Short mmCIF file of all heavy atoms in Angstrom, two decimals:
data_model
loop_
_atom_site.label_atom_id
_atom_site.label_comp_id
_atom_site.label_asym_id
_atom_site.label_seq_id
_atom_site.Cartn_x
_atom_site.Cartn_y
_atom_site.Cartn_z
N ALA A 842 177.37 192.17 13.75
CA ALA A 842 176.70 192.73 14.92
C ALA A 842 175.69 193.79 14.54
O ALA A 842 175.91 194.56 13.60
CB ALA A 842 177.74 193.33 15.87
N VAL A 843 174.59 193.82 15.29
CA VAL A 843 173.61 194.89 15.21
C VAL A 843 173.58 195.54 16.59
O VAL A 843 173.32 194.87 17.59
CB VAL A 843 172.20 194.36 14.86
CG1 VAL A 843 171.18 195.49 14.90
CG2 VAL A 843 172.20 193.67 13.51
N VAL A 844 173.88 196.83 16.65
CA VAL A 844 173.89 197.56 17.92
C VAL A 844 172.56 198.31 18.03
O VAL A 844 172.21 199.08 17.15
CB VAL A 844 175.07 198.56 17.98
CG1 VAL A 844 175.04 199.34 19.28
CG2 VAL A 844 176.39 197.82 17.82
N PHE A 845 171.84 198.04 19.12
CA PHE A 845 170.54 198.68 19.29
C PHE A 845 170.40 199.19 20.71
O PHE A 845 171.11 198.79 21.63
CB PHE A 845 169.39 197.73 18.93
CG PHE A 845 169.32 196.48 19.77
CD1 PHE A 845 168.43 196.40 20.83
CD2 PHE A 845 170.11 195.38 19.48
CE1 PHE A 845 168.35 195.25 21.59
CE2 PHE A 845 170.03 194.22 20.23
CZ PHE A 845 169.15 194.15 21.29
N GLY A 846 169.46 200.11 20.88
CA GLY A 846 169.19 200.69 22.20
C GLY A 846 168.05 199.95 22.86
O GLY A 846 167.79 198.79 22.58
N THR A 847 167.32 200.62 23.69
CA THR A 847 166.23 199.99 24.41
C THR A 847 164.96 200.00 23.57
O THR A 847 164.75 200.88 22.75
CB THR A 847 165.95 200.72 25.73
OG1 THR A 847 165.64 202.08 25.42
CG2 THR A 847 167.15 200.66 26.64
N ASP A 848 164.13 199.00 23.80
CA ASP A 848 162.83 198.94 23.11
C ASP A 848 161.88 199.92 23.77
O ASP A 848 161.88 200.09 24.97
CB ASP A 848 162.22 197.55 23.21
CG ASP A 848 163.00 196.53 22.41
OD1 ASP A 848 163.77 196.94 21.53
OD2 ASP A 848 162.84 195.33 22.67
N THR A 849 161.06 200.55 22.95
CA THR A 849 159.98 201.38 23.47
C THR A 849 158.70 200.88 22.84
O THR A 849 158.70 199.99 22.01
CB THR A 849 160.19 202.87 23.10
OG1 THR A 849 160.08 203.00 21.68
CG2 THR A 849 161.52 203.38 23.58
N THR A 850 157.58 201.48 23.20
CA THR A 850 156.31 201.04 22.64
C THR A 850 156.16 201.47 21.18
O THR A 850 155.41 200.87 20.44
CB THR A 850 155.13 201.61 23.44
OG1 THR A 850 155.28 203.03 23.52
CG2 THR A 850 155.10 201.02 24.83
N THR A 851 156.88 202.49 20.75
CA THR A 851 156.74 202.95 19.37
C THR A 851 157.79 202.33 18.46
O THR A 851 157.46 201.81 17.42
CB THR A 851 156.85 204.48 19.29
OG1 THR A 851 158.07 204.88 19.90
CG2 THR A 851 155.69 205.13 19.99
N ALA A 852 159.03 202.40 18.84
CA ALA A 852 160.11 201.82 18.04
C ALA A 852 161.38 201.80 18.87
O ALA A 852 161.53 202.60 19.78
CB ALA A 852 160.34 202.66 16.78
N PRO A 853 162.29 200.88 18.54
CA PRO A 853 163.55 200.85 19.26
C PRO A 853 164.34 202.12 18.97
O PRO A 853 164.29 202.66 17.86
CB PRO A 853 164.27 199.64 18.69
CG PRO A 853 163.25 198.89 17.94
CD PRO A 853 162.16 199.83 17.58
N SER A 854 165.07 202.59 19.96
CA SER A 854 165.90 203.76 19.72
C SER A 854 167.13 203.37 18.94
O SER A 854 167.64 202.27 19.07
CB SER A 854 166.30 204.39 21.06
OG SER A 854 167.10 203.50 21.79
N VAL A 855 167.60 204.26 18.12
CA VAL A 855 168.79 204.00 17.32
C VAL A 855 170.00 204.35 18.16
O VAL A 855 170.09 205.43 18.74
CB VAL A 855 168.76 204.82 16.01
CG1 VAL A 855 170.04 204.62 15.24
CG2 VAL A 855 167.56 204.43 15.18
N SER A 856 170.92 203.42 18.23
CA SER A 856 172.11 203.63 19.04
C SER A 856 173.01 204.64 18.36
O SER A 856 173.11 204.68 17.14
CB SER A 856 172.84 202.31 19.20
OG SER A 856 173.97 202.46 19.98
N PRO A 857 173.73 205.44 19.12
CA PRO A 857 174.65 206.40 18.52
C PRO A 857 175.76 205.70 17.73
O PRO A 857 176.16 204.59 18.07
CB PRO A 857 175.23 207.15 19.71
CG PRO A 857 174.46 206.74 20.89
CD PRO A 857 173.67 205.52 20.56
N LEU A 858 176.22 206.36 16.72
CA LEU A 858 177.28 205.79 15.90
C LEU A 858 178.54 205.53 16.71
O LEU A 858 179.32 204.64 16.39
CB LEU A 858 177.58 206.71 14.72
CG LEU A 858 176.48 206.84 13.69
CD1 LEU A 858 176.90 207.81 12.59
CD2 LEU A 858 176.13 205.49 13.08
N ALA A 859 178.75 206.30 17.77
CA ALA A 859 179.93 206.10 18.60
C ALA A 859 179.95 204.69 19.21
O ALA A 859 181.01 204.07 19.32
CB ALA A 859 179.98 207.15 19.70
N GLU A 860 178.78 204.17 19.60
CA GLU A 860 178.70 202.81 20.14
C GLU A 860 179.09 201.78 19.08
O GLU A 860 179.79 200.81 19.37
CB GLU A 860 177.29 202.51 20.65
CG GLU A 860 176.94 203.23 21.91
CD GLU A 860 177.78 202.79 23.10
OE1 GLU A 860 178.09 201.59 23.22
OE2 GLU A 860 178.14 203.65 23.91
N CYS A 861 178.66 202.00 17.86
CA CYS A 861 179.00 201.09 16.76
C CYS A 861 180.50 201.13 16.47
O CYS A 861 181.13 200.09 16.26
CB CYS A 861 178.22 201.47 15.50
SG CYS A 861 176.44 201.29 15.66
N THR A 862 181.06 202.33 16.47
CA THR A 862 182.49 202.49 16.21
C THR A 862 183.31 201.84 17.32
O THR A 862 184.30 201.15 17.06
CB THR A 862 182.85 203.99 16.09
OG1 THR A 862 182.03 204.56 15.07
CG2 THR A 862 184.30 204.18 15.76
N ARG A 863 182.89 202.03 18.56
CA ARG A 863 183.59 201.42 19.70
C ARG A 863 183.58 199.89 19.60
O ARG A 863 184.58 199.24 19.80
CB ARG A 863 182.93 201.86 21.01
CG ARG A 863 183.62 201.34 22.25
CD ARG A 863 182.81 201.62 23.51
NE ARG A 863 181.47 201.04 23.49
CZ ARG A 863 181.20 199.75 23.70
NH1 ARG A 863 182.17 198.90 23.91
NH2 ARG A 863 179.96 199.32 23.67
N LEU A 864 182.44 199.33 19.23
CA LEU A 864 182.34 197.88 19.06
C LEU A 864 183.23 197.42 17.92
O LEU A 864 183.91 196.40 18.03
CB LEU A 864 180.89 197.45 18.83
CG LEU A 864 180.67 195.96 18.60
CD1 LEU A 864 181.17 195.14 19.80
CD2 LEU A 864 179.21 195.68 18.31
N GLY A 865 183.24 198.16 16.82
CA GLY A 865 184.11 197.81 15.70
C GLY A 865 185.58 197.78 16.09
O GLY A 865 186.33 196.89 15.69
N GLU A 866 186.00 198.75 16.89
CA GLU A 866 187.39 198.79 17.36
C GLU A 866 187.70 197.59 18.24
O GLU A 866 188.77 196.99 18.13
CB GLU A 866 187.64 200.09 18.11
CG GLU A 866 187.65 201.31 17.22
CD GLU A 866 187.62 202.64 17.99
OE1 GLU A 866 187.49 202.60 19.24
OE2 GLU A 866 187.71 203.68 17.34
N ALA A 867 186.77 197.21 19.10
CA ALA A 867 186.97 196.05 19.98
C ALA A 867 187.06 194.76 19.17
O ALA A 867 187.88 193.88 19.46
CB ALA A 867 185.84 195.96 21.01
N LEU A 868 186.24 194.64 18.12
CA LEU A 868 186.27 193.44 17.29
C LEU A 868 187.55 193.36 16.46
O LEU A 868 188.12 192.29 16.29
CB LEU A 868 185.03 193.39 16.39
CG LEU A 868 183.70 193.23 17.12
CD1 LEU A 868 182.54 193.35 16.14
CD2 LEU A 868 183.65 191.91 17.87
N ALA A 869 188.01 194.51 15.97
CA ALA A 869 189.27 194.53 15.21
C ALA A 869 190.43 194.13 16.12
O ALA A 869 191.31 193.37 15.72
CB ALA A 869 189.50 195.92 14.63
N GLU A 870 190.41 194.63 17.34
CA GLU A 870 191.46 194.29 18.31
C GLU A 870 191.44 192.80 18.66
O GLU A 870 192.48 192.20 18.93
CB GLU A 870 191.27 195.13 19.57
CG GLU A 870 192.41 195.03 20.56
CD GLU A 870 192.21 195.97 21.73
OE1 GLU A 870 192.06 197.18 21.49
OE2 GLU A 870 192.20 195.47 22.87
N ALA A 871 190.24 192.19 18.65
CA ALA A 871 190.10 190.77 18.97
C ALA A 871 190.55 189.86 17.82
O ALA A 871 190.69 188.65 18.01
CB ALA A 871 188.67 190.45 19.35
N GLY A 872 190.74 190.44 16.64
CA GLY A 872 191.26 189.66 15.53
C GLY A 872 190.25 188.82 14.77
O GLY A 872 190.61 187.80 14.19
N VAL A 873 188.99 189.21 14.76
CA VAL A 873 187.98 188.48 13.98
C VAL A 873 187.52 189.35 12.81
O VAL A 873 187.60 190.57 12.86
CB VAL A 873 186.76 188.10 14.85
CG1 VAL A 873 187.14 187.14 15.95
CG2 VAL A 873 186.07 189.30 15.41
N GLU A 874 187.06 188.68 11.76
CA GLU A 874 186.41 189.40 10.68
C GLU A 874 185.06 189.86 11.22
O GLU A 874 184.38 189.11 11.94
CB GLU A 874 186.21 188.51 9.46
CG GLU A 874 187.50 188.06 8.81
CD GLU A 874 188.28 189.20 8.17
OE1 GLU A 874 187.67 190.21 7.77
OE2 GLU A 874 189.51 189.08 8.08
N PHE A 875 184.64 191.08 10.89
CA PHE A 875 183.43 191.62 11.51
C PHE A 875 182.73 192.61 10.61
O PHE A 875 183.29 193.15 9.68
CB PHE A 875 183.78 192.31 12.84
CG PHE A 875 184.59 193.57 12.66
CD1 PHE A 875 183.97 194.80 12.53
CD2 PHE A 875 185.96 193.51 12.60
CE1 PHE A 875 184.71 195.95 12.34
CE2 PHE A 875 186.72 194.65 12.41
CZ PHE A 875 186.09 195.88 12.29
N GLU A 876 181.47 192.83 10.97
CA GLU A 876 180.63 193.89 10.40
C GLU A 876 179.78 194.42 11.56
O GLU A 876 179.25 193.64 12.34
CB GLU A 876 179.73 193.33 9.31
CG GLU A 876 178.67 194.30 8.84
CD GLU A 876 177.68 193.70 7.86
OE1 GLU A 876 177.68 192.46 7.66
OE2 GLU A 876 176.89 194.47 7.32
N VAL A 877 179.68 195.74 11.67
CA VAL A 877 178.84 196.35 12.70
C VAL A 877 177.80 197.22 12.01
O VAL A 877 178.15 198.08 11.20
CB VAL A 877 179.67 197.20 13.70
CG1 VAL A 877 178.75 197.84 14.73
CG2 VAL A 877 180.74 196.35 14.37
N GLN A 878 176.54 196.96 12.34
CA GLN A 878 175.44 197.74 11.79
C GLN A 878 174.73 198.47 12.93
O GLN A 878 174.63 197.95 14.03
CB GLN A 878 174.42 196.84 11.11
CG GLN A 878 174.92 196.13 9.90
CD GLN A 878 173.81 195.32 9.24
OE1 GLN A 878 172.65 195.35 9.65
NE2 GLN A 878 174.16 194.59 8.19
N ARG A 879 174.24 199.67 12.63
CA ARG A 879 173.36 200.35 13.57
C ARG A 879 171.97 199.78 13.36
O ARG A 879 171.65 199.23 12.31
CB ARG A 879 173.38 201.85 13.38
CG ARG A 879 172.87 202.30 12.03
CD ARG A 879 173.01 203.81 11.86
NE ARG A 879 172.67 204.19 10.51
CZ ARG A 879 171.44 204.34 10.07
NH1 ARG A 879 170.42 204.14 10.85
NH2 ARG A 879 171.21 204.69 8.81
N ALA A 880 171.15 199.88 14.38
CA ALA A 880 169.81 199.31 14.32
C ALA A 880 168.93 200.11 13.37
O ALA A 880 168.98 201.33 13.34
CB ALA A 880 169.18 199.28 15.70
N GLY A 881 168.14 199.40 12.60
CA GLY A 881 167.13 200.03 11.76
C GLY A 881 165.85 200.18 12.55
O GLY A 881 165.85 200.20 13.78
N SER A 882 164.74 200.26 11.86
CA SER A 882 163.46 200.48 12.54
C SER A 882 162.96 199.25 13.29
O SER A 882 162.19 199.37 14.22
CB SER A 882 162.40 200.93 11.53
OG SER A 882 162.23 199.93 10.55
N ASP A 883 163.40 198.04 12.89
CA ASP A 883 162.98 196.81 13.57
C ASP A 883 164.20 195.92 13.77
O ASP A 883 164.54 195.12 12.91
CB ASP A 883 161.92 196.10 12.74
CG ASP A 883 161.31 194.90 13.45
OD1 ASP A 883 161.83 194.50 14.52
OD2 ASP A 883 160.33 194.36 12.94
N PRO A 884 164.87 196.04 14.92
CA PRO A 884 166.10 195.26 15.14
C PRO A 884 165.88 193.76 15.07
O PRO A 884 166.74 193.04 14.57
CB PRO A 884 166.56 195.67 16.54
CG PRO A 884 165.86 196.90 16.87
CD PRO A 884 164.62 196.94 16.04
N ALA A 885 164.74 193.26 15.55
CA ALA A 885 164.50 191.82 15.51
C ALA A 885 164.50 191.31 14.07
O ALA A 885 165.14 190.31 13.75
CB ALA A 885 163.18 191.48 16.21
N GLU A 886 163.80 192.01 13.19
CA GLU A 886 163.79 191.62 11.77
C GLU A 886 165.18 191.74 11.15
O GLU A 886 165.58 190.92 10.34
CB GLU A 886 162.78 192.46 11.00
CG GLU A 886 161.34 192.09 11.27
CD GLU A 886 161.01 190.65 10.89
OE1 GLU A 886 161.49 190.15 9.84
OE2 GLU A 886 160.29 190.00 11.66
N GLN A 887 165.92 192.77 11.53
CA GLN A 887 167.26 192.98 11.01
C GLN A 887 168.20 191.84 11.45
O GLN A 887 168.97 191.32 10.65
CB GLN A 887 167.79 194.33 11.51
CG GLN A 887 169.12 194.74 10.96
CD GLN A 887 169.52 196.13 11.47
OE1 GLN A 887 168.77 196.81 12.17
NE2 GLN A 887 170.70 196.55 11.10
N ILE A 888 168.09 191.44 12.71
CA ILE A 888 168.91 190.35 13.24
C ILE A 888 168.55 189.05 12.54
O ILE A 888 169.43 188.29 12.11
CB ILE A 888 168.70 190.23 14.77
CG1 ILE A 888 169.27 191.47 15.47
CG2 ILE A 888 169.32 188.95 15.31
CD1 ILE A 888 168.72 191.70 16.86
N LEU A 889 167.27 188.77 12.40
CA LEU A 889 166.83 187.55 11.71
C LEU A 889 167.26 187.53 10.26
O LEU A 889 167.67 186.50 9.73
CB LEU A 889 165.32 187.41 11.84
CG LEU A 889 164.80 187.08 13.25
CD1 LEU A 889 163.30 187.28 13.33
CD2 LEU A 889 165.21 185.68 13.65
N ALA A 890 167.19 188.69 9.59
CA ALA A 890 167.61 188.76 8.18
C ALA A 890 169.11 188.51 8.05
O ALA A 890 169.54 187.79 7.13
CB ALA A 890 167.24 190.12 7.59
N LEU A 891 169.91 189.08 8.93
CA LEU A 891 171.35 188.82 8.91
C LEU A 891 171.63 187.34 9.10
O LEU A 891 172.46 186.76 8.38
CB LEU A 891 172.06 189.60 10.02
CG LEU A 891 172.66 190.94 9.68
CD1 LEU A 891 173.26 191.57 10.94
CD2 LEU A 891 173.69 190.85 8.60
N ALA A 892 170.96 186.73 10.06
CA ALA A 892 171.16 185.31 10.32
C ALA A 892 170.76 184.46 9.13
O ALA A 892 171.48 183.52 8.76
CB ALA A 892 170.38 184.89 11.56
N GLU A 893 169.65 184.79 8.51
CA GLU A 893 169.19 184.02 7.35
C GLU A 893 170.06 184.26 6.12
O GLU A 893 170.45 183.31 5.44
CB GLU A 893 167.74 184.39 7.04
CG GLU A 893 167.15 183.56 5.93
CD GLU A 893 165.70 183.91 5.66
OE1 GLU A 893 164.97 184.22 6.61
OE2 GLU A 893 165.31 183.87 4.48
N ASP A 894 170.39 185.51 5.85
CA ASP A 894 171.19 185.83 4.65
C ASP A 894 172.57 185.20 4.68
O ASP A 894 173.13 184.88 3.63
CB ASP A 894 171.35 187.36 4.50
CG ASP A 894 170.03 188.05 4.17
OD1 ASP A 894 169.05 187.35 3.84
OD2 ASP A 894 169.99 189.30 4.27
N HIS A 895 173.13 185.04 5.87
CA HIS A 895 174.50 184.52 5.98
C HIS A 895 174.55 183.14 6.61
O HIS A 895 175.63 182.68 6.99
CB HIS A 895 175.36 185.51 6.78
CG HIS A 895 175.43 186.86 6.12
ND1 HIS A 895 176.18 187.10 4.99
CD2 HIS A 895 174.82 188.03 6.41
CE1 HIS A 895 176.04 188.35 4.63
NE2 HIS A 895 175.21 188.93 5.47
N ASP A 896 173.40 182.46 6.70
CA ASP A 896 173.31 181.12 7.25
C ASP A 896 174.07 181.02 8.57
O ASP A 896 174.98 180.21 8.73
CB ASP A 896 173.84 180.11 6.22
CG ASP A 896 173.41 178.69 6.55
OD1 ASP A 896 172.39 178.53 7.25
OD2 ASP A 896 174.10 177.75 6.12
N ALA A 897 173.70 181.86 9.51
CA ALA A 897 174.40 181.97 10.79
C ALA A 897 174.35 180.66 11.57
O ALA A 897 173.36 179.94 11.55
CB ALA A 897 173.79 183.09 11.63
N ARG A 898 175.43 180.40 12.25
CA ARG A 898 175.50 179.21 13.10
C ARG A 898 174.95 179.46 14.49
O ARG A 898 174.55 178.53 15.17
CB ARG A 898 176.95 178.74 13.19
CG ARG A 898 177.48 178.34 11.83
CD ARG A 898 178.71 177.53 11.94
NE ARG A 898 179.11 177.14 10.60
CZ ARG A 898 180.31 176.73 10.30
NH1 ARG A 898 181.23 176.66 11.24
NH2 ARG A 898 180.60 176.38 9.08
N LEU A 899 174.94 180.75 14.90
CA LEU A 899 174.49 181.10 16.24
C LEU A 899 174.14 182.57 16.28
O LEU A 899 174.77 183.38 15.58
CB LEU A 899 175.61 180.82 17.26
CG LEU A 899 175.38 181.19 18.72
CD1 LEU A 899 174.32 180.27 19.36
CD2 LEU A 899 176.68 181.10 19.51
N ILE A 900 173.15 182.92 17.09
CA ILE A 900 172.84 184.31 17.39
C ILE A 900 173.12 184.52 18.88
O ILE A 900 172.58 183.79 19.72
CB ILE A 900 171.36 184.67 17.10
CG1 ILE A 900 171.05 184.49 15.62
CG2 ILE A 900 171.06 186.10 17.55
CD1 ILE A 900 169.57 184.64 15.28
N VAL A 901 173.98 185.47 19.20
CA VAL A 901 174.26 185.84 20.58
C VAL A 901 173.53 187.15 20.81
O VAL A 901 173.76 188.12 20.09
CB VAL A 901 175.77 185.99 20.85
CG1 VAL A 901 176.01 186.43 22.29
CG2 VAL A 901 176.50 184.70 20.53
#
Side-chain angles (χ1 to χ4, degrees):
V843 176
V844 179
F845 61 99
T847 58
D848 291 342
T849 66
T850 54
T851 55
S854 63
V855 176
S856 181
L858 292 179
E860 289 294 322
C861 296
T862 304
R863 183 189 59 77
L864 178 59
E866 290 168 355
L868 294 174
E870 189 175 304
V873 296
E874 295 293 333
F875 68 91
E876 170 186 9
V877 179
Q878 295 184 4
R879 63 184 173 80
S882 60
D883 187 351
E886 286 299 320
Q887 185 177 356
I888 293 160
L889 290 167
L891 265 178
E893 184 178 325
D894 292 348
H895 299 286
D896 196 23
R898 297 197 177 161
L899 176 70
I900 298 172
V901 178

